[in-house]
Amino acid sequence: MYPITAFGRVAATPARLHIQPPPPTPICPRPRSVIISNPTVSKAEAAAKKFNVPNWTGDDMEVINHPDVEAVWICSPSSFHADQIKACAAAGKHVFCEKPIATDLPETIEAINACKIADVKLMTALQRRFDPNFARVREAITNNEIGSPIVAKLCSRDPAPPPFSYVEGSGGIFKDMAVHDLDMSRFLMGEEPEAILAYGACMIDKEIEKLPGAEAYDTASVIIKYPGGKHAFIDVCRQAPYGYDQRAEVLGTKGMIQTDNMYPNTARVYTNSFTGNADMPYDFFMSRYKEAYIRESEAFCKALVNDEPSPCSGEDGLFALIMAIAAEKSAAEGRWVQFSEIPETVVCTDPLNCQIDYARADAEEEGSEDAEGSEKSSNGFFGWGKKKGKDKKSAFGQAASQLID
């Protein structure tokens, strides 16, 4: 992916320049791409020429501070996201950012607050919400076609494992891969989850077993508890030799809805030895989710043009990260983890200065009663921002309590 992409004259244009931009739309009749950057300037130049972008650079700040840029698409490695978001906010530029907003909770909160202070929109690119298949499942739930959800099942399997160099530093299977499914379970259930039980293993690429934490897993399973006994099951694996396996199923009180895998075509073969699809499912995520990438960018542009809330907010990205961190903690400790355990270790002295209270985190991990004392000694939970009206009984209410309204 190109590290950072910016567009002036907010446009219904895909977030990734891998995909040919669509023609003008009623949302923005004259979309105009202004500048693209990549640390390898030759790559930025090649992309700019391919998609008729007039400017390119190796410096992300040239993109962010370009006078003609109104909104920035950030597609850089995860470790750069928070700083680039803050820089966009300081420059008064709206932000469309690939997940995650940051790799930890303090930086995520700071980045969201920076955008709120600057009054710029921030969208987290959790593209599956915009995939026509998953969107139809959500529609069936919101329209009461299947009644109230009881159980959701989600499966996400990649065609082949990524190289060791990618897995190392990726944050692990829960933050890097399963985060999409964790977010989708919350999106479909329409409620905030309560607890999670996760298990991870290395079943495919034994080379990654030496990596720390969840980076050593290429296969994982998850159960998520929702209010009222509702629950979701998720299984993820970095290898499915038959192609991209991305399916969803929701059982409701009135019926069920499920999706199938996506294929390049609908052709089927019927012979005396085989009956089935003529071709394998898509084997590349850019092909599988091409329509979702276009739709999520169009949705963000619509929000900008009409001054509407981002269709997938910074808060959605924050909550997805909380779920991924809780899954990793559960897999490491072999127990159910309440989501409320995760944000309790974060303390903010002001909206742009947050940190992990390691004394409290260590006390909680050891099951010590010193955790309460640690909270008090570190300025209290989210020290600057105990707001009225926030539901701090839930993990997500706790996390939201430190965000600027």
Side-chain angles (χ1 to χ4, degrees):
M1 291 184 180
Y2 302 106
I4 186 164
T5 310
F7 301 94
R9 194 72 191 160
V10 290
T13 322
R16 298 108 175 129
L17 288 183
H18 302 64
I19 304 172
Q20 181 64 38
T25 72
I27 295 173
C28 187
R30 288 187 303 219
R32 183 166 63 90
S33 302
V34 174
I35 185 171
I36 180 173
S37 82
N38 189 300
T40 304
V41 179
S42 60
K43 292 183 179 180
E45 179 181 7
K49 290 180 176 179
K50 181 176 182 179
F51 295 106
N52 299 314
V53 179
N55 305 291
W56 60 87
T57 179
D59 184 355
D60 56 356
M61 294 307 297
E62 286 188 31
V63 172
I64 293 169
N65 293 318
H66 195 289
D68 294 336
V69 167
E70 297 180 31
V72 177
W73 267 244
I74 297 177
C75 308
S76 55
S78 300
S79 59
F80 295 94
H81 289 184
D83 286 341
Q84 289 173 337
I85 291 171
K86 293 174 187 177
C88 288
K93 308 298 171 73
H94 302 290
V95 186
F96 177 108
C97 185
E98 284 294 327
K99 65 83 186 166
I101 293 172
T103 54
D104 64 25
L105 290 181
E107 280 199 318
T108 300
I109 293 159
E110 291 171 1
I112 295 171
N113 280 334
C115 291
K116 289 178 178 290
I117 291 170
D119 195 26
V120 297
K121 298 186 190 302
L122 170 62
M123 176 165 170
T124 308
L126 292 161
Q127 90 281 355
R128 289 189 196 174
R129 292 183 175 217
F130 301 89
D131 175 75
N133 298 286
F134 290 106
R136 184 62 183 88
V137 176
R138 171 67 174 169
E139 181 183 339
I141 295 169
T142 56
N143 290 345
N144 199 35
E145 293 178 53
I146 62 167
S148 177
I150 299 172
V151 177
K153 294 181 180 179
L154 296 156
C155 135
S156 180
R157 301 164 188 163
D158 289 348
F164 179 90
S165 59
Y166 173 87
V167 178
E168 185 177 25
S170 68
I173 197 166
F174 299 113
K175 291 179 183 175
D176 174 59
M177 183 178 178
V179 65
H180 287 288
D181 304 276
L182 295 167
D183 172 71
M184 183 53 57
S185 78
R186 175 174 172 260
F187 182 62
L188 295 178
M189 286 298 195
E191 294 187 82
E192 304 302 0
E194 298 174 340
I196 191 167
L197 180 65
Y199 174 80
C202 182
M203 304 298 296
I204 309 298
D205 182 7
K206 296 301 181 180
E207 185 182 9
I208 69 171
E209 281 188 309
K210 60 186 177 185
L211 294 176
E215 290 185 0
Y217 306 148
D218 55 28
T219 306
S221 297
V222 173
I223 306 174
I224 305 170
K225 291 181 182 178
Y226 282 87
K230 301 174 184 178
H231 49 286
F233 297 94
I234 295 171
D235 78 80
V236 295
C237 185
R238 291 197 184 274
Q239 178 174 287
Y242 49 88
Y244 241 109
D245 192 353
Q246 310 273 291
R247 290 171 285 135
E249 175 184 301
V250 178
L251 173 66
T253 54
K254 293 168 55 178
M256 182 189 75
I257 185 168
Q258 62 181 194
T259 66
D260 200 354
N261 284 319
M262 292 281 289
Y263 291 80
N265 54 66
T266 60
R268 293 176 63 85
V269 173
Y270 297 85
T271 70
N272 62 356
S273 60
F274 176 79
T275 297
N277 292 86
D279 295 298
M280 302 284 272
Y282 284 115
D283 62 359
F284 183 45
F285 71 94
M286 294 299 298
S287 301
R288 166 62 183 85
Y289 286 108
K290 180 178 179 179
E291 182 65 23
Y293 292 141
I294 294 174
R295 288 170 58 147
E296 69 177 355
S297 284
E298 289 180 336
F300 183 56
C301 292
K302 179 176 180 290
L304 296 179
V305 172
N306 297 330
D307 193 22
E308 300 170 348
S310 293
C312 188
S313 66
E315 285 87 338
D316 289 321
L318 171 62
F319 298 163
L321 179 60
I322 289 172
M323 295 179 76
I325 293 172
E328 183 173 2
K329 184 177 181 68
S330 173
E333 299 179 9
R335 65 177 179 89
W336 281 95
V337 170
Q338 301 294 316
F339 288 110
S340 59
E341 297 178 39
I342 304 306
E344 286 180 349
T345 58
V346 180
V347 172
C348 296
T349 55
D350 65 63
L352 300 180
N353 287 283
C354 302
Q355 63 184 2
I356 297 291
D357 179 354
Y358 288 102
R360 179 176 176 82
D362 292 342
E364 287 190 346
E365 186 170 339
E366 295 171 3
S368 170
E369 295 180 359
D370 292 339
E372 183 177 353
S374 173
E375 179 182 21
K376 293 177 182 177
S377 65
S378 61
N379 231 5
F381 176 65
F382 301 146
W384 66 273
K386 292 187 177 180
K387 298 182 180 179
K388 294 181 180 179
K390 298 289 187 179
D391 175 20
K392 289 186 287 190
K393 292 182 179 179
S394 73
F396 308 98
Q398 289 173 350
S401 73
Q402 68 188 0
L403 300 177
I404 298 171
D405 288 329

